[in-house]
Structure formats: C-alpha cells, structure tokens
Amino acid sequence: MIVRSKPGFWDVAFAVNGSILPRIAPHLVAIALISVLAIFAAMEHPGIFARISAVPFTLIGIALSVFMSFRNSTCYARWWEGRELWGKLIIACRSFARQISTLEDDDRRVLLRGLCGFCSGLTARLRGEDEVAAIKPWSEIDVASVGPNPTNAVLNQIGLHCLMLMKRDRIEPIHYAVLEGQLTALSDVQGGCERIASTPVPFAYSLLLHRTALIFCVTLPFALAGSLDWWTLLPVLLVAYTFFGLDALGHQLEAPFGSEPNALPLDAMRRGIEREMLALLGERDLPAPIEPRQNVLM
Amino acid sequence: MIVRSKPGFWDVAFAVNGSILPRIAPHLVAIALISVLAIFAAMEHPGIFARISAVPFTLIGIALSVFMSFRNSTCYARWWEGRELWGKLIIACRSFARQISTLEDDDRRVLLRGLCGFCSGLTARLRGEDEVAAIKPWSEIDVASVGPNPTNAVLNQIGLHCLMLMKRDRIEPIHYAVLEGQLTALSDVQGGCERIASTPVPFAYSLLLHRTALIFCVTLPFALAGSLDWWTLLPVLLVAYTFFGLDALGHQLEAPFGSEPNALPLDAMRRGIEREMLALLGERDLPAPIEPRQNVLM
Amino acid sequence: MIVRSKPGFWDVAFAVNGSILPRIAPHLVAIALISVLAIFAAMEHPGIFARISAVPFTLIGIALSVFMSFRNSTCYARWWEGRELWGKLIIACRSFARQISTLEDDDRRVLLRGLCGFCSGLTARLRGEDEVAAIKPWSEIDVASVGPNPTNAVLNQIGLHCLMLMKRDRIEPIHYAVLEGQLTALSDVQGGCERIASTPVPFAYSLLLHRTALIFCVTLPFALAGSLDWWTLLPVLLVAYTFFGLDALGHQLEAPFGSEPNALPLDAMRRGIEREMLALLGERDLPAPIEPRQNVLM
Amino acid sequence: MIVRSKPGFWDVAFAVNGSILPRIAPHLVAIALISVLAIFAAMEHPGIFARISAVPFTLIGIALSVFMSFRNSTCYARWWEGRELWGKLIIACRSFARQISTLEDDDRRVLLRGLCGFCSGLTARLRGEDEVAAIKPWSEIDVASVGPNPTNAVLNQIGLHCLMLMKRDRIEPIHYAVLEGQLTALSDVQGGCERIASTPVPFAYSLLLHRTALIFCVTLPFALAGSLDWWTLLPVLLVAYTFFGLDALGHQLEAPFGSEPNALPLDAMRRGIEREMLALLGERDLPAPIEPRQNVLM
Amino acid sequence: MIVRSKPGFWDVAFAVNGSILPRIAPHLVAIALISVLAIFAAMEHPGIFARISAVPFTLIGIALSVFMSFRNSTCYARWWEGRELWGKLIIACRSFARQISTLEDDDRRVLLRGLCGFCSGLTARLRGEDEVAAIKPWSEIDVASVGPNPTNAVLNQIGLHCLMLMKRDRIEPIHYAVLEGQLTALSDVQGGCERIASTPVPFAYSLLLHRTALIFCVTLPFALAGSLDWWTLLPVLLVAYTFFGLDALGHQLEAPFGSEPNALPLDAMRRGIEREMLALLGERDLPAPIEPRQNVLM
C-alpha cells in the first residue's frame, strides 16, 4: 500500500513514486509516436483525413468510459473486500484473546501463538510462499500429516484445544460455542481471501476492455489529426493516460494480496496482530512495527 | 473459469482462446457486410445519405452503454455471488470438520463423507446431472424414499446423525447447536445456488437490450457512410465488437453454474473440498487436484 | 416469470411472447404518427425547423438515460430482493424440517404442514387473495380470533408448539432456540415481502421520469425532422422503444409479487416447498410441480 | 408516502397531487422569464450570441447528470434503509410476541404494550415530538428519572422484565437470550433511525450540486437563444424541470422520517403494529388502520 | 459535520461557511487567469485557435465525470460506513447496559464507565491523540502493561469482569455469551474504524484523477477561447468549480474521523453515549451535549 499524504501541487506535477505513470510510460510513448505519424499523414493527404469525424469516437469513448468505470469499481471492491477480511481477522484475534483471558497461562500461550501462526500461514498461502515454514515459529504442526491446507490445520489445532477444554470441564459448553464463533470468523477470512486470490475478474472481460481501449487510443489520432494538427497530441495523450492508467491500476487492485505497490500491507497487519497477542501474553520486548519503505508499506 | 495471466501485448492482438471473439465472429462479419453495402449505397446516392446525421446515434449509443453497463454489472454480480456461495460451502465444510474433531473416527467418517456427498450432489443438481449417482460413492441414501431433493436428503442425514449424537449424550446440546449452524450455512448455499440457477435476469430485459444493440449496430453504418466513406468500417466494427462482446459475456456470466468457459470451476472446488476432508480422515492417497485444460478450469 | 432460453436470431426479430413490445405498442404508434406530422411540417416550413438543433436533445437524452438507469436498477433490486426472500423461505423450511427430524411423526406432521400453510398464506397475502382460505387446507386456525394477520398467526401456532415441546422436556432449551431461529427467518421473509409489496418507488420519482421521457419522445421528431427527413422515424422509434420499454419493464419489476408475466413464480416456489415437506412426511403421492404456460411460470 | 396507482395518461399530463411540480414551480417560472430575456437579447444582439456554442453546455449538463444521479441514489438509499429499519421493527415485535406466547397474560400484557410504547416513542423522537407523552398511554415510565432517551428507557424496562423472569426461573436462560436477541434488534432499529435522522448528506455536497444546477439552468438559455429562438423555452424548461425536480425530490427522500408527502408512513406502520399486538392480547376492538388522506399516507 | 438547514436562495448565492468554495478558491483564480491568457492569445492568433475543437474535450470531460463519480461514491461510502460504525457503537453500549440491569450497582458502575472509557479511547485513537489520557478519567488501566492498544485493553478489562461474574456464578453462562456478543460488536466497531482510518483510497487512483482534472481544466480555456471569446470564462469556471469542488470534498469525506468541517462529530456522539450511561447510573448532573460552533459539530 502506498502511504502518502494528499497530493500537493508539485506532486500533481511531478510525482513518480506511487504514480501509475512508470508502468504505462511505454504505451504513452507509442501512442505519441503514432500521433506524430498521423499528423504527418494528415499534412500529406489532407483530403482523406478531412472526412474522418470525431463524432463516432465520442460515442465509443463514452461507452468505453462507462464500461471501464464498471471494471474499476469491481477491482476496487475486490481490494476493499480483501482489506475488510483482514480487518475481520484482526477483530477475531482480539475477541478470541479477550474471551480466553481467564484461562491458565499455558493454554493462553498455545492459543494466542496459534493465532499468530494462522496469520503467518495465511500470509504465506496468499502470496504463494511456504506455509509450513511460516507457521513453524509459532505453532507445532505435524509436517507429515498436515494435508493440503496447513493454515487450516493450525485452526483445527486451536479448535481441538478448545474442544478438549470443554471435555475436561475447564470451560462451559456455551463458552466453547463463543470461542468457536471466533474460529468460524477466522475460517471465513481464510475462505474469503482464497476466493479473491483464486478467482480473477473473468479473463474475457479484461481482454475485451483492454483491446477496445488499445484500438481506441491507436485510432483516435487519425480522427483528430485532420482538424487539430499538432494540438492532436494533447487530447490523445490525456485520453491514453486516463484509460491506460485506470486499466493498469484496476489490474493491480484486482489482486490485493500480491506484491505490487498498491497491494494490501499484509506483513504490516500481521505484525500488528503479533504485537497485540504477545503483549497480552505479558511480553515486553515486542517486535517493531513494519514501516513503509519509499512510501510503500508491505 | 478461464485461467490466464494478464493479457500481454500479443494476447491483446491475437488471443482467441479465452476471448469472446469466436462467439460473436458471425455477427461481426454480418455487420461488416452491411457496412460495405452502406458504403456502396452512399457512393451511389450521396444526396440521401448526406442528410443522415450521426448526432442521434451518439445519443442512442450512449443510452445503450448506460443500460448495457447495468446488465453487465447485474450478470457479474450473479457470477460473483455464485462464487461467494461456493466459498461459503468450503468454509462451512472446514468449520464443521473442525467442530467434530473430538468425535470417534466412525462418526467423523460418516459425517465428512456426507459433506463430500452433499458437494457432489449439489454440483450435479446445478448442472442438471444425476444427483443420486453423484451422491452414491460418498453416502448411503435410500434411493426409494429420497424425494424430489436428493442433495438436501444428504444434509438431512447429517443433521439426523448430529441429533442422535445429542440424544445419546455424546455431544452437548450447545455443541449440537454449533454443528447445526454449519448445516444451516450449507442449506443457505444450496438455496442460494438454486436461486441463481433457476431465476435468470428477466427475459424482457435481455431481449430489449439485445434488440436495441442489434438495430443500433445494423443502422449505424448508414449514418456514418455518408461522411466517413471506407473509414466507416473502423468505428462500426469497434462498436459492434464492444456491444456484442459485452452482451455475449453477460449472457455467459448470468448462468455461473453452466458449462461455458467462463462458468465457475465447480469440479475443481468440489475436488478441493474432498481432498481436505479425506486428509482430515487420515487418508494419504488423495485424489489429484483438477487442472485447467487449454486454460479452462471446470 | 418468463421462462425462455437465450434469444436467438428469430426471437430478436419477431419474439412477441415475453417481450415488453405489446405493452408499449400504442405509445410507439402515437410517436410514429407525431413523427410523420413533424416530417410534413418540416417540409412545409423548412425555415422554422432548420433552426432546431439536435444538440440540446442529446444532453436531455443522456441525462434521462442516467436517471432511468437508476430507476431500472432500483426496480430490479426490488425484484431480486423479493426472490432472495423466497429463497430464504425455502431454506428456512428445509432447515426447520431437518432440525425436527427426531420428533415424533405427529409433531412433525403438524409442524411441517404448518410451514406449508404459512407459505400458502403468504402467497395469498402478497397477492391480495383470501389468506384464511389459503391456510385452511394445511393448518387449523381459529377463524374467529385470527386477528389482522392470519399468516403470522400460523407462525405463532408453530412457535407455540415448539415452546410447549420445550416446556414438556421433549426438546432441550437450546434446541428450541435453534428452531426459533428458523421461525425468525420466516418472520423476516414475511416482513421483507410486505415491505416490498407496500412501499413502491416514490410516486413523484416515477412520475417525473415518465413525464420527462414522454415529453422527450414527443418533441424529438421536431428536432430531427428538419435535417433527417423520413429517416427521422428510425432514431425516434428506437429511442422511444428503449425508453418506454425500460419504463414499462421497470414498472413490472417494481411489484415482484403481482400477476404480470415478469412477476416472481410464487405458486411454483410454494408448490416446490410443499413437495419437499410432504416427501419428508413419507407421502409418495406428491402434487405435481407447476409448469410454465406459454412460457410464463406463475 | 404517496399512495397512487401507476401514472396513467391523464396523470402524466395533469397530475399535480403527488407531483414535485408545485414545489419547483417558482423556479421554473423564473427560468422561463430568464429565457424570454435571453431570447429578446439574442434578437437585439445576434452577433454576440451567435458565438456561444451549446457544446460546453452538453459537457457540463452530462457531468451534472452523473453527479446528480449519485446524489439521488444516495438519498433514495437513505429512504429505503429507513423503511427497512421499520420493517425490522415490525418483524422484531412479531417475533418477540411469538416467543412469549407461553407466558402468563399479565406478563404478556406488560411486554406487548411496552413494544407499542417503544414504537410510539420512536415515532415521536424521530419527528421531534414529545416522547414521554407518546409513551405514557402504553407503558409506565418514571418521568423523573427517565434520562435523555425515554424511548430507550422503555426498552430497558422490557429487558429488565425479561431478566427478572429468568432470575425467578420462569423462563430458561436460553429463552432469555432468544428474547434479548429481539430487543437488540429493536435497539438496532432505534440506532439506525437516529443515524439517518441526525446525519444528512454532507452539506457541502448538496450545496455544490444545487449551485451548479442553478447556474447551469440560468445560463443555458443564453447558450441556446442564438440558434433556437423561441424554441429555446422547450429544452430549457425540460432540463430545469428534470434537474430541479430531482434535486427537490432528493431533498425530500434524504429525510425519510419528516412530514413531507414522500416521507415514510410512520403513523400507519406504528398503528399496524399496535393492531397486531392488541389482537394477540385478545382485544377485539382494535383501533382502525390509518388511511391515506388525499393520496398521502402518514 | 456541518449542521445547516436546506440551502435557501441566499445560501445558494452567497453561502461561504460550510461551502467547499474557500478551499478551492486559489485554484479557481488560477484557472480564471489562464482563461484570460487564452482569450488574449486567441485574439492575437485567431488562426491557431480556430483549429482546436471542443469535441475531444467533451469526450474527456464526460469520461472524467464518470470516473470522478466513482471516486466520490467511494469516499462517501467510507464516510457513511464510519457513521454506521459509530451508530453500532451507540447501539452496543445501550444493549450492554440493558443486559446488565439486574447486576449490583458496583458492577454496573465499573462496566458502564468502562464503556465510556472505550469510547473516549477510540476517539483519541482515531484522531491520533493520547489514548491513555482519554481513558484515565473513566477506567483504571495499568499504564505500564497496557501494550500497543490501550483502547482494546479497556475492552479486555470489561470482558474479564464479565468472565469473572460467570466464574463466580453471579450470571448464567448464557448471559455471559449475550454480554460477550455486545463486546464483540464493540471490537467490530474499533476494527472497522481503524480499517477506514489506516487504509485510504489507493494513492495512484487519487493522483490520476487529480492530475487529469487539473490538466483538463487548464487546457479547456484554450479549446473554447477561439469560438467563445469572453464567454469562455463562464463554462470554464463552472467546470472547474464542479470538478475541483468534488475532488476536494471527496478528499474530506475519505477521512471521516479527521478534523475537517465535514468530518463525523465524534465528540458529540461520544458525549451522547456518556450522558446515557451516566443517566442509567442514576446521575442527575449530566455533562451538557456538545453544540455546533459556527454550524460545525465536532
């Protein structure tokens, strides 16, 4: 996630860090070259180009804006839902910790460290890293029998521990049900994150919009060159910047658990949970919060 | 579901697999032929065509974009809700499995295999296949008395098993309530999927938009041919590609449990659940996950 | 609900059944006549009409599209929420039936037939028919003391039966709470359906859009006749078809429990529930599912 | 709430009652006068006005439509959420009544009349009337110690009564939890209604749109007068009617608990609940339902 | 939050307080100066400017409107969700207070004052003020061991108190579960508010729109000056006012817990909760409600 204050005047003019500009610069250069080509062609053969009117391009451009706006709001909704799920993760960990505050210290240690292991495992799972290695420092899991879903195995261990506490009359049955409610919330978070990570916006949709935007920007200079001359560059580049920029940004937000600058700061949130859980276990020497590097918080 | 990485340059130019293009190619050819006709007619009778202005078409085109955008977001919402329901299915199965982890192995086997049977039955039901045959390998159901809803019958069996466990004091009443909460979630999933599968977007709505888009694309060349000459082909085909493409794509997303390339990968998700449930039962020899064929995951 | 497959080529050209066309045909004829009038007037007095430009009409038309799109999505949301509520009804009936599967047959019969009575009563209530008559075949209710809400009275009877089971120690208190959860879901369904049925989209909103659309379509020919001549008919009729069609369709979807072809198939869904409940009571001779008549499922 | 059937032909032409027209008539007259002024000015100084083009006004008008559409959907969402909350109120009252149906008549009388008092108090609170006076006929509350929130005090009394029933073993603890669930729903309703009533759409937003719409409508005649002559009046008045009408309607829907004709019928819904509760207490002489006056249901 | 009645005529014309105008005035002056520059340039070199057409600007302007509308609705949704969370806070405090009304006065005092401390701590946390200092007057927290999240520590204390009440058989286990439900709601509120406060709309998105709007407004005068002459100022300033105003307003709403005039009135809501809690503890001398200063309620 990019952490910057409101764009001020100079940012608007010159900000590169955090901007989508570097990503789409090659496209803009290509469109600029095509525009120059179109302008020279229009000077050579003014007759041909005079016939091309900008009116159908207005129609196509507005239609494209409407459809791109839908794609953008969809991608943003995915990104925001990812953040909501991680917010739910934080809330469930805190609530679970509060609800076991009368248990003995050994139980609390196992359970709260288990929650940290779950968060680490989930982060690794969503980023395609080694889940078992991420869980190991926090929770003992049997590598041999862990099955296809190590992160869920941690949750199963926590659930089993709670069931055993009920069986041994250390907690009331209703207390078990309350705790299990938080574990179900954690399952919801894992399932929801996996859903977002494994199900992109339909490929055909992205392709259709990407294609239409590209053809539109490539042909627009030919429609304007006849009447606008060198002024053609200004609207063409502004349109290309907006359309390509939104397309690239939508693509980044679509996968909110990735490693792009605009992805969600999973590491920072995970560390925040670890700090709170360890503090509740009485530790004073907490790991430091994760700070943004070059305005990017991971 | 089509599994491809972000469209690169050559994809944008040439990708056919995963594109909606093959589906709408005949329409585009027809529109191109009509455009050629319009262009020749405009050359023959320039007087008539000079009178037709593109302005009312801009109005109609933009109105159509606004309405098609609504239809598209509705169809996408149906597709995404289908995915959310299957995500809920995965979560409920995992949570149920966690909540019965202190039961004896025989009970766990019956219950977890029952969940697999429910998933198989639901897949078959949503795709119009033989539910009973799909359930058979996982769960014993009485074919004779199964009634009109075999998939729900599996859920009833699981529920009955839980009730019997409570009756025999093998689980606490509150534990029964917790388990039943997951079964209600599974009922929600089945009911929600049936709702999406049985209730399309109102036919009159699809028909109205389909008709308007068709008439618009067929008449657009006549409005442009007078002034654009052979250039007419470019905006007409771009508009037709966008409108027909979105219409066809919307139609595919509207029925997310079908067998179109953009449908949800029910088989892959069902197999994922089976693998997790079987691993929890201690099986080492899990069925392999389902892989995409030619970029399509079913 | 209209049950048809995807509109094919001939449907698009000629489908009348299931289309909104018959409903708005008189308006289209009127607009066509006004257009002819405008065309003749423009031929007689070309000077006057030459001054009218289509540009302000583009502005008004696009503004109208944006506002009509909002009305359409609102009406569709009401229709879809109605369907979601009936889906919830189906789910709650199934879950309730599962949760009472260890009760004695007499209790189950009274309770499940009570659910059927609730569904019948709700259907009658939403359609303004005789609720008591609809409930009678399924459940004994005291006509004299039934009060202003017979459908809710059935639910009260079911709730009272469950309370008595708890009082007599036939079910655990927590089991009562689980059952009552489903009854609350049924109350939600009734309350939600009544909300949709009794609270239309604000009248002033419908009137404003209806009026603007009408004035727009009536005056559009006068703006186009000066330049388009006989071609005026094409865009005017296309615009009128789209705007009047969406307006009429929105009006149908706004009241999803009515008797219009696009209303929800309450009878078919109610019958589906009855079939499932009766099958669970061991009946073999189930009433037949309701089939669509002339593509309309009620 | 305005209770009228679908606008028929004559309604569209002449309906005043239920229309937003009377509210905005002065503005329309002012705009008409300004238009006449602009037309005369354009006749006097055609040179100046010929330069003004309608194109930038198309841009501004469409931008304004997009933003007003957002404001409208926001205001409608507030109105509809208000209705949903009152639907939840009705459902919670019915469910609570069902859940106490085995209590003794005295308890039921106190509790159900308490619900009626809560509804009366909430209505008074939302409309800025005297809450204590509204509650008095239904429930005994201690005026001296009632604190800043009399409506919530009624709920506290009901909650205390339920707690006492549990303390005296008249109801099971789990039964108390079920009842308290409905009381929490009633708290949700009160809190939600207070939120809508006390938090308008940000003032700066309303002001910005109101101002832009006004400047747009005042200057539009000057842009059109040069080319359209007396025809200017038609598009200008149609645009002004739509924009001012939607603005005024949005303002009415924004405050759904007010006393405007489009506000929600709180009195009628409250009376409906009273009738159902009194019928459940065995009363035969129910207060009459509230009927609309001049098509307006309050 | 700005507390003003509906903008009347003079407000529309002259309101400054509560308007976004002062914030964007420098930008508008700059745009006006650029416009004057463009007009003089167009008078000097009419040949160059005559070539620039307004049509591509219409396209860009409408596309920009569509994208800005998305940003605006997103920012408004954040603001409204912030308000919903604080509404949930009010509801949870009231419900918790109702559910403990049979406890002894000492317990009630500790718990209800704890809720006030939670609200104060949350306010301070969201505004970056000193949490511990804000909590101190209400609740005893151990400053030394409070860890990184003092506000949550208050909640943990309340939860621990409830657990102890259950352990000592002063409340039923199910009663504990009911109370814990409200504490979980309070955790939801804290987590949700932290999510909104710590996760802005992606920086690249704001930057892209801000940049496009700025370039658009700066270049628009050059496109219009050729044909509109001094009239250029009117549409340019109206467009700049709308776009810059919505951009600035979106930026304010994006951070609903800040100290801008349009931020949510956290202090007033917190004080409202304190008044209700203290009144329930029997105090008569309540702190006064917070009043708006110069129309701004904080």
Side-chain angles (χ1 to χ4, degrees), chain E residues 278-295:
Chain E
L278 291 175
L280 287 173
L281 290 174
E283 294 203 18
R284 293 295 167 93
D285 194 20
L286 303 177
I290 290 176
E291 298 294 338
R293 282 194 205 167
Q294 289 182 298
N295 296 321

PDB file of all heavy atoms in Angstrom, chain E residues 278-295:
ATOM      1  N   LEU E 278     -24.361   7.617  32.074  1.00  0.00           N
ATOM      2  CA  LEU E 278     -24.374   8.234  33.407  1.00  0.00           C
ATOM      3  C   LEU E 278     -25.802   8.322  33.940  1.00  0.00           C
ATOM      4  O   LEU E 278     -26.045   8.112  35.137  1.00  0.00           O
ATOM      5  CB  LEU E 278     -23.728   9.625  33.347  1.00  0.00           C
ATOM      6  CG  LEU E 278     -22.210   9.595  33.076  1.00  0.00           C
ATOM      7  CD1 LEU E 278     -21.674  11.006  32.903  1.00  0.00           C
ATOM      8  CD2 LEU E 278     -21.481   8.882  34.211  1.00  0.00           C
ATOM      9  N   ALA E 279     -26.762   8.616  33.039  1.00  0.00           N
ATOM     10  CA  ALA E 279     -28.158   8.668  33.483  1.00  0.00           C
ATOM     11  C   ALA E 279     -28.600   7.299  33.992  1.00  0.00           C
ATOM     12  O   ALA E 279     -29.330   7.188  34.990  1.00  0.00           O
ATOM     13  CB  ALA E 279     -29.057   9.125  32.331  1.00  0.00           C
ATOM     14  N   LEU E 280     -28.148   6.221  33.342  1.00  0.00           N
ATOM     15  CA  LEU E 280     -28.524   4.876  33.791  1.00  0.00           C
ATOM     16  C   LEU E 280     -27.890   4.550  35.138  1.00  0.00           C
ATOM     17  O   LEU E 280     -28.399   3.721  35.888  1.00  0.00           O
ATOM     18  CB  LEU E 280     -28.096   3.834  32.758  1.00  0.00           C
ATOM     19  CG  LEU E 280     -28.934   3.824  31.476  1.00  0.00           C
ATOM     20  CD1 LEU E 280     -28.330   2.888  30.455  1.00  0.00           C
ATOM     21  CD2 LEU E 280     -30.359   3.402  31.792  1.00  0.00           C
ATOM     22  N   LEU E 281     -26.767   5.208  35.463  1.00  0.00           N
ATOM     23  CA  LEU E 281     -26.134   5.012  36.772  1.00  0.00           C
ATOM     24  C   LEU E 281     -26.769   5.915  37.822  1.00  0.00           C
ATOM     25  O   LEU E 281     -26.304   5.979  38.956  1.00  0.00           O
ATOM     26  CB  LEU E 281     -24.634   5.295  36.677  1.00  0.00           C
ATOM     27  CG  LEU E 281     -23.837   4.259  35.873  1.00  0.00           C
ATOM     28  CD1 LEU E 281     -22.399   4.702  35.701  1.00  0.00           C
ATOM     29  CD2 LEU E 281     -23.893   2.891  36.559  1.00  0.00           C
ATOM     30  N   GLY E 282     -27.822   6.622  37.443  1.00  0.00           N
ATOM     31  CA  GLY E 282     -28.564   7.412  38.416  1.00  0.00           C
ATOM     32  C   GLY E 282     -28.041   8.826  38.592  1.00  0.00           C
ATOM     33  O   GLY E 282     -28.530   9.569  39.445  1.00  0.00           O
ATOM     34  N   GLU E 283     -27.059   9.232  37.788  1.00  0.00           N
ATOM     35  CA  GLU E 283     -26.557  10.585  37.947  1.00  0.00           C
ATOM     36  C   GLU E 283     -27.541  11.580  37.350  1.00  0.00           C
ATOM     37  O   GLU E 283     -28.123  11.339  36.298  1.00  0.00           O
ATOM     38  CB  GLU E 283     -25.183  10.724  37.268  1.00  0.00           C
ATOM     39  CG  GLU E 283     -24.130   9.884  37.959  1.00  0.00           C
ATOM     40  CD  GLU E 283     -22.725  10.393  37.713  1.00  0.00           C
ATOM     41  OE1 GLU E 283     -22.577  11.556  37.316  1.00  0.00           O
ATOM     42  OE2 GLU E 283     -21.790   9.598  37.926  1.00  0.00           O
ATOM     43  N   ARG E 284     -27.711  12.703  38.051  1.00  0.00           N
ATOM     44  CA  ARG E 284     -28.635  13.719  37.568  1.00  0.00           C
ATOM     45  C   ARG E 284     -27.905  14.867  36.886  1.00  0.00           C
ATOM     46  O   ARG E 284     -28.462  15.588  36.080  1.00  0.00           O
ATOM     47  CB  ARG E 284     -29.458  14.293  38.745  1.00  0.00           C
ATOM     48  CG  ARG E 284     -30.412  13.312  39.361  1.00  0.00           C
ATOM     49  CD  ARG E 284     -31.481  12.951  38.340  1.00  0.00           C
ATOM     50  NE  ARG E 284     -32.232  11.776  38.785  1.00  0.00           N
ATOM     51  CZ  ARG E 284     -33.365  11.864  39.476  1.00  0.00           C
ATOM     52  NH1 ARG E 284     -33.867  13.033  39.765  1.00  0.00           N
ATOM     53  NH2 ARG E 284     -33.988  10.755  39.851  1.00  0.00           N
ATOM     54  N   ASP E 285     -26.650  15.027  37.281  1.00  0.00           N
ATOM     55  CA  ASP E 285     -25.896  16.179  36.811  1.00  0.00           C
ATOM     56  C   ASP E 285     -25.078  15.783  35.584  1.00  0.00           C
ATOM     57  O   ASP E 285     -23.857  15.624  35.645  1.00  0.00           O
ATOM     58  CB  ASP E 285     -24.982  16.644  37.947  1.00  0.00           C
ATOM     59  CG  ASP E 285     -24.429  18.019  37.650  1.00  0.00           C
ATOM     60  OD1 ASP E 285     -25.036  18.719  36.812  1.00  0.00           O
ATOM     61  OD2 ASP E 285     -23.398  18.364  38.236  1.00  0.00           O
ATOM     62  N   LEU E 286     -25.787  15.634  34.480  1.00  0.00           N
ATOM     63  CA  LEU E 286     -25.115  15.127  33.276  1.00  0.00           C
ATOM     64  C   LEU E 286     -24.307  16.222  32.591  1.00  0.00           C
ATOM     65  O   LEU E 286     -24.697  17.396  32.628  1.00  0.00           O
ATOM     66  CB  LEU E 286     -26.171  14.594  32.304  1.00  0.00           C
ATOM     67  CG  LEU E 286     -27.087  13.505  32.858  1.00  0.00           C
ATOM     68  CD1 LEU E 286     -28.124  13.134  31.816  1.00  0.00           C
ATOM     69  CD2 LEU E 286     -26.275  12.294  33.257  1.00  0.00           C
ATOM     70  N   PRO E 287     -23.195  15.848  31.947  1.00  0.00           N
ATOM     71  CA  PRO E 287     -22.475  16.836  31.135  1.00  0.00           C
ATOM     72  C   PRO E 287     -23.360  17.291  29.978  1.00  0.00           C
ATOM     73  O   PRO E 287     -24.161  16.514  29.455  1.00  0.00           O
ATOM     74  CB  PRO E 287     -21.252  16.062  30.632  1.00  0.00           C
ATOM     75  CG  PRO E 287     -21.597  14.625  30.766  1.00  0.00           C
ATOM     76  CD  PRO E 287     -22.565  14.516  31.910  1.00  0.00           C
ATOM     77  N   ALA E 288     -23.229  18.549  29.591  1.00  0.00           N
ATOM     78  CA  ALA E 288     -24.091  19.111  28.546  1.00  0.00           C
ATOM     79  C   ALA E 288     -23.768  18.495  27.183  1.00  0.00           C
ATOM     80  O   ALA E 288     -22.615  18.147  26.918  1.00  0.00           O
ATOM     81  CB  ALA E 288     -23.895  20.624  28.490  1.00  0.00           C
ATOM     82  N   PRO E 289     -24.781  18.335  26.348  1.00  0.00           N
ATOM     83  CA  PRO E 289     -24.487  17.870  24.982  1.00  0.00           C
ATOM     84  C   PRO E 289     -23.625  18.898  24.256  1.00  0.00           C
ATOM     85  O   PRO E 289     -23.682  20.084  24.568  1.00  0.00           O
ATOM     86  CB  PRO E 289     -25.862  17.748  24.322  1.00  0.00           C
ATOM     87  CG  PRO E 289     -26.849  18.331  25.252  1.00  0.00           C
ATOM     88  CD  PRO E 289     -26.212  18.579  26.571  1.00  0.00           C
ATOM     89  N   ILE E 290     -22.830  18.446  23.304  1.00  0.00           N
ATOM     90  CA  ILE E 290     -21.945  19.341  22.552  1.00  0.00           C
ATOM     91  C   ILE E 290     -22.738  20.011  21.439  1.00  0.00           C
ATOM     92  O   ILE E 290     -23.474  19.346  20.709  1.00  0.00           O
ATOM     93  CB  ILE E 290     -20.737  18.556  22.009  1.00  0.00           C
ATOM     94  CG1 ILE E 290     -19.841  18.165  23.185  1.00  0.00           C
ATOM     95  CG2 ILE E 290     -19.981  19.355  20.969  1.00  0.00           C
ATOM     96  CD1 ILE E 290     -18.675  17.313  22.816  1.00  0.00           C
ATOM     97  N   GLU E 291     -22.614  21.331  21.361  1.00  0.00           N
ATOM     98  CA  GLU E 291     -23.369  22.101  20.379  1.00  0.00           C
ATOM     99  C   GLU E 291     -22.477  22.484  19.206  1.00  0.00           C
ATOM    100  O   GLU E 291     -21.261  22.612  19.367  1.00  0.00           O
ATOM    101  CB  GLU E 291     -23.911  23.387  21.035  1.00  0.00           C
ATOM    102  CG  GLU E 291     -24.876  23.151  22.181  1.00  0.00           C
ATOM    103  CD  GLU E 291     -26.174  22.508  21.710  1.00  0.00           C
ATOM    104  OE1 GLU E 291     -26.486  22.637  20.505  1.00  0.00           O
ATOM    105  OE2 GLU E 291     -26.852  21.864  22.527  1.00  0.00           O
ATOM    106  N   PRO E 292     -23.058  22.681  18.027  1.00  0.00           N
ATOM    107  CA  PRO E 292     -22.243  23.121  16.889  1.00  0.00           C
ATOM    108  C   PRO E 292     -21.708  24.531  17.110  1.00  0.00           C
ATOM    109  O   PRO E 292     -22.375  25.385  17.696  1.00  0.00           O
ATOM    110  CB  PRO E 292     -23.223  23.079  15.708  1.00  0.00           C
ATOM    111  CG  PRO E 292     -24.578  23.007  16.289  1.00  0.00           C
ATOM    112  CD  PRO E 292     -24.455  22.438  17.662  1.00  0.00           C
ATOM    113  N   ARG E 293     -20.479  24.762  16.645  1.00  0.00           N
ATOM    114  CA  ARG E 293     -19.898  26.103  16.668  1.00  0.00           C
ATOM    115  C   ARG E 293     -19.776  26.588  15.240  1.00  0.00           C
ATOM    116  O   ARG E 293     -19.103  25.958  14.430  1.00  0.00           O
ATOM    117  CB  ARG E 293     -18.493  26.068  17.267  1.00  0.00           C
ATOM    118  CG  ARG E 293     -18.484  25.967  18.759  1.00  0.00           C
ATOM    119  CD  ARG E 293     -17.076  26.291  19.266  1.00  0.00           C
ATOM    120  NE  ARG E 293     -16.873  25.659  20.550  1.00  0.00           N
ATOM    121  CZ  ARG E 293     -15.686  25.545  21.131  1.00  0.00           C
ATOM    122  NH1 ARG E 293     -14.619  26.005  20.505  1.00  0.00           N
ATOM    123  NH2 ARG E 293     -15.567  24.960  22.286  1.00  0.00           N
ATOM    124  N   GLN E 294     -20.376  27.696  14.943  1.00  0.00           N
ATOM    125  CA  GLN E 294     -20.382  28.232  13.568  1.00  0.00           C
ATOM    126  C   GLN E 294     -20.810  27.142  12.589  1.00  0.00           C
ATOM    127  O   GLN E 294     -20.144  26.881  11.592  1.00  0.00           O
ATOM    128  CB  GLN E 294     -19.003  28.759  13.184  1.00  0.00           C
ATOM    129  CG  GLN E 294     -18.655  30.033  13.925  1.00  0.00           C
ATOM    130  CD  GLN E 294     -17.311  30.542  13.472  1.00  0.00           C
ATOM    131  OE1 GLN E 294     -16.297  29.873  13.645  1.00  0.00           O
ATOM    132  NE2 GLN E 294     -17.283  31.728  12.887  1.00  0.00           N
ATOM    133  N   ASN E 295     -21.899  26.483  12.938  1.00  0.00           N
ATOM    134  CA  ASN E 295     -22.502  25.439  12.100  1.00  0.00           C
ATOM    135  C   ASN E 295     -21.689  24.154  12.007  1.00  0.00           C
ATOM    136  O   ASN E 295     -22.047  23.255  11.255  1.00  0.00           O
ATOM    137  CB  ASN E 295     -22.730  25.935  10.670  1.00  0.00           C
ATOM    138  CG  ASN E 295     -23.726  27.070  10.621  1.00  0.00           C
ATOM    139  OD1 ASN E 295     -24.718  27.048  11.359  1.00  0.00           O
ATOM    140  ND2 ASN E 295     -23.484  28.044   9.789  1.00  0.00           N
TER     141      ASN E 295
END
